Amino acid sequence: MPIDVNRVKDGSHIGQLYKPFEIYIKLLIEYFGKNIEYDPDSVGDLPKNFKKLTYQIDAVNQGYSMLLEHNGFMLADVVGLGKTIIATLVAKRFLISNGTLNTKILIVYPPHLEQNWKSTFSQFGLDKHVRYISNGSLHKIIEHKNDDYWPKEDYDLILVDEAHKFRNHKAQMFQQLQLICKTPRAVEGNVLGLRKKVILISATPLNNRPEDIYYQLQLFTDARKSTLPVTNLQGFFAPLIKKYKEVLAAAKVTGKPDIGELRKIYGLIREKVLQPITVRRTRTDVESYSAYKKDLDEQGIKFPAINPPVSIEYKLGPQLGELFINTIDYLVNKIAYYRYRAIEHLLPEIQKKYYTQAETASKTLAYIMMTQLVKRLESSFDAFKISLDRFHLSTARMIEMFEKGKIYVAPDAQINDLMNKGWDEEQIDEKVLELSIDNPKNQIFVPEDFDDKFLSLLKEDLVAIDTICKQWKKTHVDPKIEVFKKLLNQELLRKDYNPSGKLVIFTESKDTARYLLKYLANGVTKSKL
């Protein structure tokens, strides 16, 4: 029997002529997957004080798809778009999909964000499925010595807020997080697979070095067999990490990095690796998309307009200017911060017994202390003087320890604070010995445990510190505060410029905050402070 070719062709895909609109829909399905099938109402009822916003629902949908496909994603919306709400909704959707009976969630956060997460998850009714932990306490989950946390293998989903702070894969904090994330799930729920799901939350995912990003990705994907378009992350990142280091090395010679090369490096990372696993929108993105804009307008939501930063100049004058430059020279070039480099100068056999990479750790700590002092100088002269005096006292006390024949190296004890509180030698000894049981890095040494030159280096540092201490004790003027005080009264609190009469002042230093409160109270009414 002859085959009717035309009938077969018409009855199969071969003979079909698709309309342009149908091809367009097919493209959307291929590109966006199940995102286009998502019903915004499936999020469920939101708490009364929350508004259902389309741009957030789309982010939930997009992020959840990435979570299932890649075992994790980066939530990187800019500040103010509700990353906490989006992450909570993704967690709720995962909880429902995986099964509410056994699903367990861990939230890792910086201490200052604790209440924000607890409040949000409580309002969404997710309390019994979650445990909260600060990023400095991850060892508590690994050790599992109490019932405050579930064992590391029990967690199914991990949310890491301000993930950019996990920037060094060699740091203990990062290694602890990695162990928790990579430990297989103890129970497989309705969402198949024993790999944990991980959400990395950060408004600045590209602020880290290429090497840091590479290791962060491995919290939820494999270096050589990733689910990303770039399946071999190791091969992709290796030349970029090398190039990045070359750019930085060249910058030490030229004085500035090659911005063009850095843009190329981060451009490749963003395009080839981060884009498929990142949910990121700016306020401009949200406001420029008509559907989102309409949604915001209908609900009466407006993003506040932000004026560009305005720099305020103040003049130091010849004498103060010379002191400022001289001080920077001392802080950066003449002081070596040996007070914080004690373990570097222990005898080799003692170093090996208690510490790993002692020289690197010591130099890193010294650099941190140098940076802190420079920051204090730029914050306020008052804060700098206080920090400088503390540094002077701390160095002098270590020299005294050598004279007494007993040197405390106890990172967990805060020896100077104990001394300031009036603890005697016997009490401090007992405290350090107690801490050494859990952490052998807390030790009491004798002068013979150190190399011969360490004490003389400490004394050289003290002479340099003493020099700038004396110079700053003679200084009682502060042109920065005078300019700020004038600006405060004449402009920043003017009714036409600032109708609310409110002003928020940011500072990293408590000493600067106290200084401002004390100084400004003399010229500004308390109702304005």
Side-chain angles (χ1 to χ4, degrees):
M1 180 179 178
I3 298 175
D4 188 341
V5 175
N6 290 329
R7 188 166 65 85
V8 172
K9 183 185 294 186
D10 292 339
S12 68
H13 67 281
I14 299 174
Q16 302 303 312
L17 294 176
Y18 294 102
K19 298 177 181 178
F21 179 74
E22 292 173 329
I23 296 174
Y24 170 67
I25 294 298
K26 176 64 175 175
L27 181 143
L28 292 180
I29 293 172
E30 290 296 325
Y31 188 82
F32 293 103
K34 294 185 178 179
N35 286 357
I36 63 170
E37 302 171 9
Y38 182 57
D39 176 9
D41 292 327
S42 67
V43 169
D45 295 330
L46 297 177
K48 291 182 179 179
N49 55 329
F50 289 88
K51 294 183 178 181
K52 186 174 290 186
L53 299 172
T54 306
Y55 80 84
Q56 291 185 339
I57 299 304
D58 285 352
V60 172
N61 183 43
Q62 184 184 5
Y64 186 72
S65 295
M66 292 174 177
L67 195 71
L68 295 186
E69 184 176 357
H70 304 295
N71 293 310
F73 73 98
M74 292 187 174
L75 178 54
D77 279 355
V78 299
V79 175
L81 293 187
K83 289 190 293 294
T84 303
I85 304 301
I86 294 168
T88 302
L89 288 170
V90 173
K92 183 176 181 179
R93 190 172 176 195
F94 175 79
L95 179 71
I96 294 170
S97 299
N98 191 59
T100 58
L101 186 61
N102 294 316
T103 300
K104 292 180 172 62
I105 301 168
L106 177 67
I107 300 178
V108 182
Y109 52 81
H112 67 280
L113 294 176
E114 177 179 3
Q115 194 53 45
N116 182 41
W117 281 106
K118 288 184 175 180
S119 173
T120 304
F121 262 64
S122 175
Q123 291 179 79
F124 277 82
L126 304 177
D127 297 67
K128 65 180 181 179
H129 301 282
V130 66
R131 290 291 183 269
Y132 310 89
I133 193 165
S134 66
N135 47 22
S137 301
L138 293 171
H139 63 278
K140 294 179 180 179
I141 292 178
I142 296 170
E143 294 168 357
H144 196 237
K145 293 182 178 180
N146 57 58
D147 295 329
D148 293 339
Y149 302 100
W150 295 307
K152 61 183 181 299
E153 61 271 12
D154 281 11
Y155 297 100
D156 303 282
L157 173 65
I158 299 173
L159 282 66
V160 184
D161 200 359
E162 294 200 6
H164 55 273
K165 292 189 174 182
F166 290 87
R167 64 179 72 234
N168 184 354
H169 70 281
K170 295 180 181 179
Q172 187 179 46
M173 189 171 74
F174 184 96
Q175 291 174 356
Q176 291 167 345
L177 178 63
Q178 186 177 51
L179 178 59
I180 295 169
C181 290
K182 288 197 169 184
T183 301
R185 298 162 63 189
V187 178
E188 185 179 46
N190 295 333
V191 176
L192 302 180
L194 295 177
R195 291 288 295 266
K196 287 188 176 73
K197 310 299 180 186
V198 180
I199 304 176
L200 302 178
I201 305 165
S202 171
T204 55
L206 279 173
N207 271 18
N208 289 356
R209 301 172 304 170
E211 186 176 18
D212 301 330
I213 298 171
Y214 169 61
Y215 282 101
Q216 275 189 346
L217 292 171
Q218 292 180 60
L219 292 173
F220 58 82
T221 192
D222 295 322
R224 294 186 179 181
K225 294 181 180 179
S226 81
T227 55
L228 299 170
V230 176
T231 56
N232 187 345
L233 293 175
Q234 187 180 57
F236 174 79
F237 272 96
L240 297 180
I241 292 170
K242 181 181 178 182
K243 184 63 179 177
Y244 178 83
K245 291 179 178 178
E246 289 174 353
V247 171
L248 292 192
K252 292 181 180 179
V253 178
T254 62
K256 59 180 181 179
D258 187 332
I259 301 300
E261 284 299 324
L262 290 178
R263 284 177 177 165
K264 288 180 184 178
I265 292 170
Y266 283 105
L268 282 170
I269 294 172
R270 181 173 55 249
E271 179 186 352
K272 302 293 185 181
V273 176
L274 294 186
Q275 190 172 340
I277 53 162
T278 301
V279 175
R280 179 172 177 80
R281 284 84 47 85
T282 65
R283 294 184 181 188
T284 303
D285 294 333
V286 173
E287 290 182 316
S288 60
Y289 181 52
S290 58
Y292 294 163
K293 184 67 168 63
K294 180 181 177 183
D295 188 20
L296 293 172
D297 291 341
E298 289 176 351
Q299 301 200 50
I301 297 174
K302 290 185 178 180
F303 295 134
I306 301 175
N307 293 327
V310 177
S311 63
I312 307 299
E313 295 184 358
Y314 61 95
K315 296 181 179 179
L316 293 175
Q319 291 184 335
L320 196 55
E322 184 180 349
L323 175 58
F324 188 94
I325 294 172
N326 186 50
T327 301
I328 291 293
D329 182 46
Y330 265 82
L331 295 179
V332 176
N333 300 317
K334 295 182 179 179
I335 298 173
Y337 304 87
Y338 284 110
R339 166 63 183 85
Y340 303 102
R341 297 170 61 179
I343 64 173
E344 176 188 350
H345 291 274
L346 285 166
L347 297 176
E349 61 271 19
I350 298 176
Q351 268 189 34
K352 291 178 183 178
K353 186 176 180 181
Y354 298 110
Y355 307 101
T356 56
Q357 297 182 321
E359 183 176 355
T360 301
S362 293
K363 290 181 178 178
T364 299
L365 181 57
Y367 179 79
I368 290 172
M369 297 312 300
M370 181 268 287
T371 303
Q372 289 290 351
L373 280 173
V374 172
K375 281 186 175 182
R376 289 293 180 272
L377 180 59
E378 293 175 342
S379 179
S380 70
F381 293 161
D382 189 74
F384 175 68
K385 289 179 182 179
I386 293 171
S387 297
L388 192 60
D389 286 340
R390 289 174 184 153
F391 183 29
H392 184 280
L393 178 60
S394 179
T395 303
R397 278 176 172 168
M398 177 159 275
I399 293 173
E400 289 175 10
M401 291 180 200
F402 270 86
E403 294 171 352
K404 292 180 179 180
K406 187 182 292 184
I407 300 97
Y408 301 107
V409 177
D412 298 330
Q414 301 296 324
I415 297 297
N416 281 297
D417 289 345
L418 299 181
M419 289 181 173
N420 291 339
K421 292 176 183 177
W423 284 39
D424 59 33
E425 188 176 303
E426 186 177 341
Q427 288 175 305
I428 295 176
D429 285 357
E430 186 177 338
K431 179 67 175 178
V432 174
L433 290 172
E434 179 186 333
L435 290 170
S436 69
I437 296 173
D438 290 329
N439 184 2
K441 292 180 180 179
N442 298 287
Q443 291 294 326
I444 304 173
F445 297 106
V446 296
E448 292 74 23
D449 292 331
F450 296 85
D451 60 44
D452 296 335
K453 62 182 180 179
F454 183 53
L455 180 58
S456 61
L457 291 172
L458 277 172
K459 290 179 179 179
E460 288 177 13
D461 251 6
L462 185 62
V463 170
I465 299 166
D466 190 56
T467 299
I468 55 174
C469 276
K470 288 177 180 177
Q471 291 174 349
W472 278 97
K473 281 179 180 175
K474 298 175 184 176
T475 304
H476 303 288
V477 296
D478 188 349
K480 181 191 288 189
I481 192 67
E482 293 299 336
V483 170
F484 182 67
K485 188 175 179 179
K486 183 178 179 180
L487 184 69
L488 195 66
N489 285 319
Q490 295 182 1
E491 184 170 345
L492 297 179
L493 292 176
R494 279 195 350 244
K495 285 291 183 182
D496 59 329
Y497 184 82
N498 182 2
S500 69
K502 297 178 181 179
L503 186 69
V504 179
I505 303 172
F506 293 94
T507 176
E508 290 186 3
S509 169
K510 289 182 180 179
D511 294 323
T512 295
R514 295 189 187 102
Y515 171 60
L516 284 171
L517 183 61
K518 178 182 177 181
Y519 197 97
L520 295 179
N522 295 326
V524 183
T525 62
K526 288 186 178 179
S527 62
K528 291 182 179 180
L529 289 177

